[in-house]
Structure formats: C-alpha cells, structure tokens
Amino acid sequence: MIWAGFIFGLLGSFHCVGMCGPIAMSLPFVGSSGWQYYAGRLLYNGGRIVTYSLLGALAGIFGESLQMAGLQQTVSIVSGVLILLLLVLPAAVQGKYANMLGTDKLMLWVRKKLGYYFQRNSLGSLFIVGLLNGLLPCGFVYIALAGAISAPDISGAMLYMALFGLGTFPLMFLVSLSGKLISLKMRSMFNRAVPYVGMVLAILFIFRGLGLGIPYLSPKVEHSHQKTEITCCSKPTASAE
C-alpha cells in the first residue's frame, strides 16, 4: 500500500493547484539566468516533499505505537475511518478542531515566515518557502497522513508521504512555471474528483484491515502461536552385571 501515496498524490494534484497554486505562481525570480529560474522552482517543490516526509515520520510514530500493541489490522481500519471522517467533516469543523489543538498560532507563524522569505532573493529562500508551504492546513494532506499511519514502520510512513509529494510534483512544477497551463474549469473538475479518490483509498485500507482472505486486497493475517516443548529426560538406569 506504500505506492498508494504516489497514486493519491498524482490523482489529487489538481487540488494542490487550487489550494497552493497561487503561491507557486507568485514565486519570485531569483538571479538573472534561466537555470536559476528552474532551480528555484525545483527547490520549492523539493521543500514541500521534505516537509511531507517529516510529517509522515510523525504519523509513522503514532502508527508504530499502535502496531506494537498488536493492533496491526486495527491500524489499517482506523486509517480508513480517519480518511472518511476528513472527507465528510466540513472544513469549518476541521478548522475548529485545529484551533482547539493550538495549531492556529503555528499557522500564523508559518504565514509570517512565508511573507518574510518571499522577500529574500535567494535559491535557499525558495526551498524554505516550500518547507513552510507543506505546513499550511490542507485536508488533502491530512487524508494522505491518515493513510501513512497504516505503514509498517516509521520509514515506511516517511516513504509513503514522500511518494505522495512526488505524485503532486509534476503538476505543481508546471504551475510554478506558468499558471496558464491549466484552466480553471479543469482544476474545478479534478477538485470534485478528490473526495471520490479519497473514498476509494479509505475503502482499500478498511478492507485490508478486515483480513477477509481476498488476495492482495484483503489478505488473511495468520497469527502464529509459539509452542513450548518440554522434554523430559529420564536418568539412564545402570545395567546390572
């Protein structure tokens, strides 16, 4: 299921264009040569992927703690249910819970730093803009993180989110070069498809956790029990002569 991150990122990247497209299209031009222009856009998108990977590590820590408690199948089901909740809950409700967790102060800091680094005329600043962009609240990223929880370990969760970021890369890179490449009508069409893609992903995670014995889709998990064998050795009797 690790590659599901890439597929989800690729299919839902039009949502990224709608949400983060304005930032990508307004990236400042650094230097005077063409290679610096392209390098800056690559660094921006690379920064986003790095942040997604680090967020994946946090999701992996949470998922691994559940797996250590022997809840491997439950983790997969929980991931699917979380994705469904994120799809169903309105953005206003999600924002309310985010404020309760105190993330509103973090977002205020992120936006302030974004404004600062937008004014800096260097390639490094564009990389930092990408890092910060990855922290902005986004239901699409939250859905991906819910899927990363079911990864087998922390490195797997990081890889899942890195692949998710790579899935969003081609379209976001094109948008950072020219926003006119993608029409508003096309963006709107793909944005409407995102919930359906998320729903399919959620169902896949839930089916996998149920262990229905369906090959590849929902394989049955065999629980092996260790048997302890006790061997009784009798003391050899001396033979009478």
Side-chain angles (χ1 to χ4, degrees), residues 10-45:
L10 188 65
L11 294 176
S13 54
F14 281 86
H15 178 81
C16 294
V17 172
M19 297 299 292
C20 300
I23 295 176
M25 288 185 283
S26 59
L27 291 174
F29 184 87
V30 177
S32 56
S33 58
W35 74 267
Q36 288 176 312
Y37 176 78
Y38 291 105
R41 271 69 189 158
L42 286 170
L43 285 169
Y44 159 74
N45 283 287

PDB file of all heavy atoms in Angstrom, residues 10-45:
ATOM      1  N   LEU A  10      -0.775  11.909  -7.197  1.00  0.00           N
ATOM      2  CA  LEU A  10      -0.859  12.177  -8.633  1.00  0.00           C
ATOM      3  C   LEU A  10      -2.286  12.536  -9.046  1.00  0.00           C
ATOM      4  O   LEU A  10      -2.518  13.522  -9.754  1.00  0.00           O
ATOM      5  CB  LEU A  10      -0.379  10.949  -9.411  1.00  0.00           C
ATOM      6  CG  LEU A  10      -0.208  11.100 -10.926  1.00  0.00           C
ATOM      7  CD1 LEU A  10       0.888  12.098 -11.241  1.00  0.00           C
ATOM      8  CD2 LEU A  10       0.113   9.744 -11.551  1.00  0.00           C
ATOM      9  N   LEU A  11      -3.258  11.741  -8.577  1.00  0.00           N
ATOM     10  CA  LEU A  11      -4.645  11.970  -8.967  1.00  0.00           C
ATOM     11  C   LEU A  11      -5.225  13.225  -8.315  1.00  0.00           C
ATOM     12  O   LEU A  11      -6.106  13.868  -8.883  1.00  0.00           O
ATOM     13  CB  LEU A  11      -5.501  10.754  -8.596  1.00  0.00           C
ATOM     14  CG  LEU A  11      -5.184   9.457  -9.343  1.00  0.00           C
ATOM     15  CD1 LEU A  11      -6.037   8.313  -8.813  1.00  0.00           C
ATOM     16  CD2 LEU A  11      -5.413   9.617 -10.844  1.00  0.00           C
ATOM     17  N   GLY A  12      -4.740  13.542  -7.137  1.00  0.00           N
ATOM     18  CA  GLY A  12      -5.289  14.693  -6.422  1.00  0.00           C
ATOM     19  C   GLY A  12      -4.462  15.960  -6.558  1.00  0.00           C
ATOM     20  O   GLY A  12      -4.747  16.955  -5.887  1.00  0.00           O
ATOM     21  N   SER A  13      -3.447  15.953  -7.415  1.00  0.00           N
ATOM     22  CA  SER A  13      -2.565  17.111  -7.519  1.00  0.00           C
ATOM     23  C   SER A  13      -3.285  18.356  -8.044  1.00  0.00           C
ATOM     24  O   SER A  13      -2.833  19.480  -7.825  1.00  0.00           O
ATOM     25  CB  SER A  13      -1.357  16.793  -8.406  1.00  0.00           C
ATOM     26  OG  SER A  13      -1.755  16.307  -9.671  1.00  0.00           O
ATOM     27  N   PHE A  14      -4.430  18.168  -8.728  1.00  0.00           N
ATOM     28  CA  PHE A  14      -5.194  19.332  -9.174  1.00  0.00           C
ATOM     29  C   PHE A  14      -5.771  20.082  -7.978  1.00  0.00           C
ATOM     30  O   PHE A  14      -5.985  21.289  -8.044  1.00  0.00           O
ATOM     31  CB  PHE A  14      -6.325  18.895 -10.122  1.00  0.00           C
ATOM     32  CG  PHE A  14      -5.844  18.627 -11.515  1.00  0.00           C
ATOM     33  CD1 PHE A  14      -5.335  17.389 -11.864  1.00  0.00           C
ATOM     34  CD2 PHE A  14      -5.890  19.619 -12.483  1.00  0.00           C
ATOM     35  CE1 PHE A  14      -4.893  17.134 -13.149  1.00  0.00           C
ATOM     36  CE2 PHE A  14      -5.443  19.374 -13.779  1.00  0.00           C
ATOM     37  CZ  PHE A  14      -4.944  18.131 -14.111  1.00  0.00           C
ATOM     38  N   HIS A  15      -6.015  19.352  -6.891  1.00  0.00           N
ATOM     39  CA  HIS A  15      -6.458  20.008  -5.662  1.00  0.00           C
ATOM     40  C   HIS A  15      -5.342  20.904  -5.129  1.00  0.00           C
ATOM     41  O   HIS A  15      -5.603  22.013  -4.648  1.00  0.00           O
ATOM     42  CB  HIS A  15      -6.845  18.958  -4.623  1.00  0.00           C
ATOM     43  CG  HIS A  15      -7.258  19.542  -3.309  1.00  0.00           C
ATOM     44  ND1 HIS A  15      -8.515  20.034  -3.070  1.00  0.00           N
ATOM     45  CD2 HIS A  15      -6.563  19.726  -2.155  1.00  0.00           C
ATOM     46  CE1 HIS A  15      -8.595  20.490  -1.835  1.00  0.00           C
ATOM     47  NE2 HIS A  15      -7.418  20.310  -1.253  1.00  0.00           N
ATOM     48  N   CYS A  16      -4.109  20.418  -5.219  1.00  0.00           N
ATOM     49  CA  CYS A  16      -2.952  21.220  -4.787  1.00  0.00           C
ATOM     50  C   CYS A  16      -2.852  22.505  -5.602  1.00  0.00           C
ATOM     51  O   CYS A  16      -2.499  23.559  -5.074  1.00  0.00           O
ATOM     52  CB  CYS A  16      -1.663  20.415  -4.930  1.00  0.00           C
ATOM     53  SG  CYS A  16      -1.550  19.003  -3.829  1.00  0.00           S
ATOM     54  N   VAL A  17      -3.143  22.388  -6.895  1.00  0.00           N
ATOM     55  CA  VAL A  17      -3.089  23.563  -7.766  1.00  0.00           C
ATOM     56  C   VAL A  17      -4.093  24.611  -7.292  1.00  0.00           C
ATOM     57  O   VAL A  17      -3.805  25.811  -7.253  1.00  0.00           O
ATOM     58  CB  VAL A  17      -3.373  23.166  -9.228  1.00  0.00           C
ATOM     59  CG1 VAL A  17      -3.517  24.394 -10.106  1.00  0.00           C
ATOM     60  CG2 VAL A  17      -2.260  22.276  -9.750  1.00  0.00           C
ATOM     61  N   GLY A  18      -5.284  24.138  -6.915  1.00  0.00           N
ATOM     62  CA  GLY A  18      -6.306  25.068  -6.451  1.00  0.00           C
ATOM     63  C   GLY A  18      -5.947  25.727  -5.130  1.00  0.00           C
ATOM     64  O   GLY A  18      -6.225  26.913  -4.915  1.00  0.00           O
ATOM     65  N   MET A  19      -5.299  24.969  -4.234  1.00  0.00           N
ATOM     66  CA  MET A  19      -5.003  25.478  -2.898  1.00  0.00           C
ATOM     67  C   MET A  19      -3.673  26.235  -2.845  1.00  0.00           C
ATOM     68  O   MET A  19      -3.596  27.322  -2.279  1.00  0.00           O
ATOM     69  CB  MET A  19      -4.976  24.316  -1.900  1.00  0.00           C
ATOM     70  CG  MET A  19      -6.308  23.584  -1.741  1.00  0.00           C
ATOM     71  SD  MET A  19      -7.632  24.640  -1.125  1.00  0.00           S
ATOM     72  CE  MET A  19      -7.042  24.950   0.546  1.00  0.00           C
ATOM     73  N   CYS A  20      -2.621  25.629  -3.408  1.00  0.00           N
ATOM     74  CA  CYS A  20      -1.277  26.209  -3.303  1.00  0.00           C
ATOM     75  C   CYS A  20      -0.784  26.801  -4.619  1.00  0.00           C
ATOM     76  O   CYS A  20       0.339  27.307  -4.672  1.00  0.00           O
ATOM     77  CB  CYS A  20      -0.283  25.153  -2.821  1.00  0.00           C
ATOM     78  SG  CYS A  20      -0.699  24.458  -1.214  1.00  0.00           S
ATOM     79  N   GLY A  21      -1.614  26.709  -5.662  1.00  0.00           N
ATOM     80  CA  GLY A  21      -1.230  27.265  -6.961  1.00  0.00           C
ATOM     81  C   GLY A  21      -0.844  28.729  -6.905  1.00  0.00           C
ATOM     82  O   GLY A  21       0.170  29.129  -7.500  1.00  0.00           O
ATOM     83  N   PRO A  22      -1.618  29.574  -6.190  1.00  0.00           N
ATOM     84  CA  PRO A  22      -1.256  30.996  -6.118  1.00  0.00           C
ATOM     85  C   PRO A  22       0.143  31.231  -5.564  1.00  0.00           C
ATOM     86  O   PRO A  22       0.851  32.134  -6.024  1.00  0.00           O
ATOM     87  CB  PRO A  22      -2.328  31.573  -5.184  1.00  0.00           C
ATOM     88  CG  PRO A  22      -3.505  30.685  -5.381  1.00  0.00           C
ATOM     89  CD  PRO A  22      -2.929  29.312  -5.571  1.00  0.00           C
ATOM     90  N   ILE A  23       0.547  30.426  -4.573  1.00  0.00           N
ATOM     91  CA  ILE A  23       1.900  30.570  -4.024  1.00  0.00           C
ATOM     92  C   ILE A  23       2.937  30.176  -5.075  1.00  0.00           C
ATOM     93  O   ILE A  23       3.930  30.868  -5.284  1.00  0.00           O
ATOM     94  CB  ILE A  23       2.075  29.698  -2.756  1.00  0.00           C
ATOM     95  CG1 ILE A  23       1.162  30.197  -1.642  1.00  0.00           C
ATOM     96  CG2 ILE A  23       3.528  29.694  -2.293  1.00  0.00           C
ATOM     97  CD1 ILE A  23       1.201  29.352  -0.384  1.00  0.00           C
ATOM     98  N   ALA A  24       2.682  29.038  -5.741  1.00  0.00           N
ATOM     99  CA  ALA A  24       3.630  28.546  -6.757  1.00  0.00           C
ATOM    100  C   ALA A  24       3.771  29.524  -7.912  1.00  0.00           C
ATOM    101  O   ALA A  24       4.873  29.729  -8.443  1.00  0.00           O
ATOM    102  CB  ALA A  24       3.164  27.180  -7.272  1.00  0.00           C
ATOM    103  N   MET A  25       2.663  30.151  -8.323  1.00  0.00           N
ATOM    104  CA  MET A  25       2.703  31.069  -9.462  1.00  0.00           C
ATOM    105  C   MET A  25       3.336  32.411  -9.123  1.00  0.00           C
ATOM    106  O   MET A  25       3.792  33.124 -10.006  1.00  0.00           O
ATOM    107  CB  MET A  25       1.290  31.284 -10.008  1.00  0.00           C
ATOM    108  CG  MET A  25       0.725  30.078 -10.737  1.00  0.00           C
ATOM    109  SD  MET A  25      -0.884  30.406 -11.499  1.00  0.00           S
ATOM    110  CE  MET A  25      -1.958  30.330 -10.071  1.00  0.00           C
ATOM    111  N   SER A  26       3.356  32.743  -7.832  1.00  0.00           N
ATOM    112  CA  SER A  26       3.904  34.043  -7.438  1.00  0.00           C
ATOM    113  C   SER A  26       5.328  33.948  -6.899  1.00  0.00           C
ATOM    114  O   SER A  26       5.837  34.907  -6.313  1.00  0.00           O
ATOM    115  CB  SER A  26       3.000  34.693  -6.384  1.00  0.00           C
ATOM    116  OG  SER A  26       2.891  33.871  -5.237  1.00  0.00           O
ATOM    117  N   LEU A  27       5.970  32.794  -7.075  1.00  0.00           N
ATOM    118  CA  LEU A  27       7.352  32.653  -6.610  1.00  0.00           C
ATOM    119  C   LEU A  27       8.241  33.688  -7.289  1.00  0.00           C
ATOM    120  O   LEU A  27       8.152  33.901  -8.507  1.00  0.00           O
ATOM    121  CB  LEU A  27       7.884  31.250  -6.917  1.00  0.00           C
ATOM    122  CG  LEU A  27       7.269  30.093  -6.124  1.00  0.00           C
ATOM    123  CD1 LEU A  27       7.797  28.763  -6.656  1.00  0.00           C
ATOM    124  CD2 LEU A  27       7.556  30.219  -4.636  1.00  0.00           C
ATOM    125  N   PRO A  28       9.104  34.346  -6.530  1.00  0.00           N
ATOM    126  CA  PRO A  28       9.959  35.380  -7.125  1.00  0.00           C
ATOM    127  C   PRO A  28      11.009  34.787  -8.058  1.00  0.00           C
ATOM    128  O   PRO A  28      11.402  33.627  -7.913  1.00  0.00           O
ATOM    129  CB  PRO A  28      10.603  36.048  -5.911  1.00  0.00           C
ATOM    130  CG  PRO A  28      10.574  34.999  -4.845  1.00  0.00           C
ATOM    131  CD  PRO A  28       9.328  34.203  -5.077  1.00  0.00           C
ATOM    132  N   PHE A  29      11.444  35.577  -9.011  1.00  0.00           N
ATOM    133  CA  PHE A  29      12.516  35.169  -9.921  1.00  0.00           C
ATOM    134  C   PHE A  29      13.847  35.466  -9.247  1.00  0.00           C
ATOM    135  O   PHE A  29      14.102  36.590  -8.820  1.00  0.00           O
ATOM    136  CB  PHE A  29      12.409  35.925 -11.244  1.00  0.00           C
ATOM    137  CG  PHE A  29      13.417  35.477 -12.266  1.00  0.00           C
ATOM    138  CD1 PHE A  29      13.126  34.408 -13.100  1.00  0.00           C
ATOM    139  CD2 PHE A  29      14.647  36.110 -12.385  1.00  0.00           C
ATOM    140  CE1 PHE A  29      14.059  33.986 -14.047  1.00  0.00           C
ATOM    141  CE2 PHE A  29      15.570  35.682 -13.324  1.00  0.00           C
ATOM    142  CZ  PHE A  29      15.275  34.631 -14.157  1.00  0.00           C
ATOM    143  N   VAL A  30      14.697  34.465  -9.135  1.00  0.00           N
ATOM    144  CA  VAL A  30      15.994  34.607  -8.471  1.00  0.00           C
ATOM    145  C   VAL A  30      17.102  34.591  -9.513  1.00  0.00           C
ATOM    146  O   VAL A  30      17.147  33.704 -10.371  1.00  0.00           O
ATOM    147  CB  VAL A  30      16.216  33.472  -7.447  1.00  0.00           C
ATOM    148  CG1 VAL A  30      17.587  33.578  -6.805  1.00  0.00           C
ATOM    149  CG2 VAL A  30      15.128  33.510  -6.381  1.00  0.00           C
ATOM    150  N   GLY A  31      18.004  35.565  -9.436  1.00  0.00           N
ATOM    151  CA  GLY A  31      19.130  35.597 -10.350  1.00  0.00           C
ATOM    152  C   GLY A  31      18.738  36.133 -11.712  1.00  0.00           C
ATOM    153  O   GLY A  31      17.631  36.625 -11.942  1.00  0.00           O
ATOM    154  N   SER A  32      19.658  35.982 -12.649  1.00  0.00           N
ATOM    155  CA  SER A  32      19.437  36.524 -13.994  1.00  0.00           C
ATOM    156  C   SER A  32      19.509  35.461 -15.087  1.00  0.00           C
ATOM    157  O   SER A  32      19.263  35.757 -16.254  1.00  0.00           O
ATOM    158  CB  SER A  32      20.487  37.608 -14.290  1.00  0.00           C
ATOM    159  OG  SER A  32      21.804  37.079 -14.132  1.00  0.00           O
ATOM    160  N   SER A  33      19.826  34.217 -14.710  1.00  0.00           N
ATOM    161  CA  SER A  33      19.952  33.166 -15.715  1.00  0.00           C
ATOM    162  C   SER A  33      18.769  32.207 -15.652  1.00  0.00           C
ATOM    163  O   SER A  33      18.099  32.082 -14.621  1.00  0.00           O
ATOM    164  CB  SER A  33      21.262  32.396 -15.524  1.00  0.00           C
ATOM    165  OG  SER A  33      21.322  31.844 -14.228  1.00  0.00           O
ATOM    166  N   GLY A  34      18.555  31.515 -16.781  1.00  0.00           N
ATOM    167  CA  GLY A  34      17.426  30.596 -16.882  1.00  0.00           C
ATOM    168  C   GLY A  34      17.514  29.436 -15.914  1.00  0.00           C
ATOM    169  O   GLY A  34      16.503  29.016 -15.343  1.00  0.00           O
ATOM    170  N   TRP A  35      18.732  28.903 -15.695  1.00  0.00           N
ATOM    171  CA  TRP A  35      18.852  27.720 -14.830  1.00  0.00           C
ATOM    172  C   TRP A  35      18.449  28.037 -13.395  1.00  0.00           C
ATOM    173  O   TRP A  35      17.914  27.177 -12.687  1.00  0.00           O
ATOM    174  CB  TRP A  35      20.278  27.172 -14.870  1.00  0.00           C
ATOM    175  CG  TRP A  35      21.309  27.967 -14.127  1.00  0.00           C
ATOM    176  CD1 TRP A  35      22.113  28.941 -14.617  1.00  0.00           C
ATOM    177  CD2 TRP A  35      21.614  27.856 -12.716  1.00  0.00           C
ATOM    178  NE1 TRP A  35      22.917  29.451 -13.638  1.00  0.00           N
ATOM    179  CE2 TRP A  35      22.646  28.804 -12.463  1.00  0.00           C
ATOM    180  CE3 TRP A  35      21.144  27.069 -11.679  1.00  0.00           C
ATOM    181  CZ2 TRP A  35      23.192  28.987 -11.197  1.00  0.00           C
ATOM    182  CZ3 TRP A  35      21.689  27.243 -10.404  1.00  0.00           C
ATOM    183  CH2 TRP A  35      22.701  28.190 -10.176  1.00  0.00           C
ATOM    184  N   GLN A  36      18.677  29.299 -12.968  1.00  0.00           N
ATOM    185  CA  GLN A  36      18.291  29.680 -11.615  1.00  0.00           C
ATOM    186  C   GLN A  36      16.768  29.730 -11.468  1.00  0.00           C
ATOM    187  O   GLN A  36      16.228  29.421 -10.410  1.00  0.00           O
ATOM    188  CB  GLN A  36      18.897  31.039 -11.267  1.00  0.00           C
ATOM    189  CG  GLN A  36      20.406  30.980 -11.047  1.00  0.00           C
ATOM    190  CD  GLN A  36      20.985  32.360 -10.805  1.00  0.00           C
ATOM    191  OE1 GLN A  36      20.705  33.308 -11.532  1.00  0.00           O
ATOM    192  NE2 GLN A  36      21.803  32.480  -9.774  1.00  0.00           N
ATOM    193  N   TYR A  37      16.102  30.128 -12.548  1.00  0.00           N
ATOM    194  CA  TYR A  37      14.635  30.161 -12.532  1.00  0.00           C
ATOM    195  C   TYR A  37      14.076  28.753 -12.311  1.00  0.00           C
ATOM    196  O   TYR A  37      13.236  28.529 -11.439  1.00  0.00           O
ATOM    197  CB  TYR A  37      14.130  30.728 -13.854  1.00  0.00           C
ATOM    198  CG  TYR A  37      12.625  30.722 -14.001  1.00  0.00           C
ATOM    199  CD1 TYR A  37      11.848  31.674 -13.376  1.00  0.00           C
ATOM    200  CD2 TYR A  37      11.987  29.742 -14.760  1.00  0.00           C
ATOM    201  CE1 TYR A  37      10.462  31.665 -13.501  1.00  0.00           C
ATOM    202  CE2 TYR A  37      10.609  29.718 -14.889  1.00  0.00           C
ATOM    203  CZ  TYR A  37       9.853  30.684 -14.264  1.00  0.00           C
ATOM    204  OH  TYR A  37       8.496  30.671 -14.386  1.00  0.00           O
ATOM    205  N   TYR A  38      14.575  27.783 -13.086  1.00  0.00           N
ATOM    206  CA  TYR A  38      14.104  26.402 -12.961  1.00  0.00           C
ATOM    207  C   TYR A  38      14.554  25.776 -11.640  1.00  0.00           C
ATOM    208  O   TYR A  38      13.801  25.030 -11.005  1.00  0.00           O
ATOM    209  CB  TYR A  38      14.601  25.567 -14.137  1.00  0.00           C
ATOM    210  CG  TYR A  38      13.958  25.951 -15.450  1.00  0.00           C
ATOM    211  CD1 TYR A  38      14.660  26.682 -16.396  1.00  0.00           C
ATOM    212  CD2 TYR A  38      12.642  25.597 -15.738  1.00  0.00           C
ATOM    213  CE1 TYR A  38      14.066  27.043 -17.598  1.00  0.00           C
ATOM    214  CE2 TYR A  38      12.041  25.948 -16.932  1.00  0.00           C
ATOM    215  CZ  TYR A  38      12.755  26.677 -17.860  1.00  0.00           C
ATOM    216  OH  TYR A  38      12.154  27.043 -19.032  1.00  0.00           O
ATOM    217  N   ALA A  39      15.790  26.090 -11.231  1.00  0.00           N
ATOM    218  CA  ALA A  39      16.309  25.537  -9.971  1.00  0.00           C
ATOM    219  C   ALA A  39      15.468  26.004  -8.785  1.00  0.00           C
ATOM    220  O   ALA A  39      15.191  25.230  -7.859  1.00  0.00           O
ATOM    221  CB  ALA A  39      17.761  25.942  -9.773  1.00  0.00           C
ATOM    222  N   GLY A  40      15.062  27.264  -8.820  1.00  0.00           N
ATOM    223  CA  GLY A  40      14.240  27.807  -7.741  1.00  0.00           C
ATOM    224  C   GLY A  40      12.912  27.081  -7.614  1.00  0.00           C
ATOM    225  O   GLY A  40      12.451  26.777  -6.501  1.00  0.00           O
ATOM    226  N   ARG A  41      12.299  26.765  -8.770  1.00  0.00           N
ATOM    227  CA  ARG A  41      11.016  26.049  -8.759  1.00  0.00           C
ATOM    228  C   ARG A  41      11.188  24.604  -8.299  1.00  0.00           C
ATOM    229  O   ARG A  41      10.325  24.056  -7.600  1.00  0.00           O
ATOM    230  CB  ARG A  41      10.381  26.068 -10.151  1.00  0.00           C
ATOM    231  CG  ARG A  41       9.477  27.274 -10.422  1.00  0.00           C
ATOM    232  CD  ARG A  41      10.254  28.544 -10.526  1.00  0.00           C
ATOM    233  NE  ARG A  41       9.377  29.723 -10.562  1.00  0.00           N
ATOM    234  CZ  ARG A  41       9.789  30.927 -10.226  1.00  0.00           C
ATOM    235  NH1 ARG A  41      11.029  31.117  -9.781  1.00  0.00           N
ATOM    236  NH2 ARG A  41       8.977  31.964 -10.302  1.00  0.00           N
ATOM    237  N   LEU A  42      12.310  24.006  -8.661  1.00  0.00           N
ATOM    238  CA  LEU A  42      12.597  22.644  -8.203  1.00  0.00           C
ATOM    239  C   LEU A  42      12.827  22.616  -6.694  1.00  0.00           C
ATOM    240  O   LEU A  42      12.347  21.716  -5.999  1.00  0.00           O
ATOM    241  CB  LEU A  42      13.826  22.093  -8.936  1.00  0.00           C
ATOM    242  CG  LEU A  42      13.641  21.687 -10.397  1.00  0.00           C
ATOM    243  CD1 LEU A  42      14.990  21.390 -11.039  1.00  0.00           C
ATOM    244  CD2 LEU A  42      12.726  20.460 -10.503  1.00  0.00           C
ATOM    245  N   LEU A  43      13.548  23.613  -6.183  1.00  0.00           N
ATOM    246  CA  LEU A  43      13.824  23.675  -4.751  1.00  0.00           C
ATOM    247  C   LEU A  43      12.544  23.912  -3.960  1.00  0.00           C
ATOM    248  O   LEU A  43      12.349  23.338  -2.875  1.00  0.00           O
ATOM    249  CB  LEU A  43      14.838  24.789  -4.462  1.00  0.00           C
ATOM    250  CG  LEU A  43      16.285  24.480  -4.838  1.00  0.00           C
ATOM    251  CD1 LEU A  43      17.140  25.738  -4.757  1.00  0.00           C
ATOM    252  CD2 LEU A  43      16.848  23.399  -3.924  1.00  0.00           C
ATOM    253  N   TYR A  44      11.663  24.742  -4.488  1.00  0.00           N
ATOM    254  CA  TYR A  44      10.380  24.999  -3.813  1.00  0.00           C
ATOM    255  C   TYR A  44       9.599  23.693  -3.659  1.00  0.00           C
ATOM    256  O   TYR A  44       9.113  23.368  -2.574  1.00  0.00           O
ATOM    257  CB  TYR A  44       9.578  26.027  -4.612  1.00  0.00           C
ATOM    258  CG  TYR A  44       8.103  26.004  -4.311  1.00  0.00           C
ATOM    259  CD1 TYR A  44       7.600  26.525  -3.114  1.00  0.00           C
ATOM    260  CD2 TYR A  44       7.197  25.443  -5.217  1.00  0.00           C
ATOM    261  CE1 TYR A  44       6.242  26.486  -2.831  1.00  0.00           C
ATOM    262  CE2 TYR A  44       5.842  25.406  -4.936  1.00  0.00           C
ATOM    263  CZ  TYR A  44       5.368  25.933  -3.743  1.00  0.00           C
ATOM    264  OH  TYR A  44       4.027  25.890  -3.467  1.00  0.00           O
ATOM    265  N   ASN A  45       9.471  22.954  -4.740  1.00  0.00           N
ATOM    266  CA  ASN A  45       8.727  21.702  -4.687  1.00  0.00           C
ATOM    267  C   ASN A  45       9.460  20.649  -3.864  1.00  0.00           C
ATOM    268  O   ASN A  45       8.824  19.833  -3.188  1.00  0.00           O
ATOM    269  CB  ASN A  45       8.473  21.187  -6.107  1.00  0.00           C
ATOM    270  CG  ASN A  45       7.364  21.946  -6.797  1.00  0.00           C
ATOM    271  OD1 ASN A  45       6.185  21.800  -6.492  1.00  0.00           O
ATOM    272  ND2 ASN A  45       7.733  22.810  -7.744  1.00  0.00           N
TER     273      ASN A  45
END
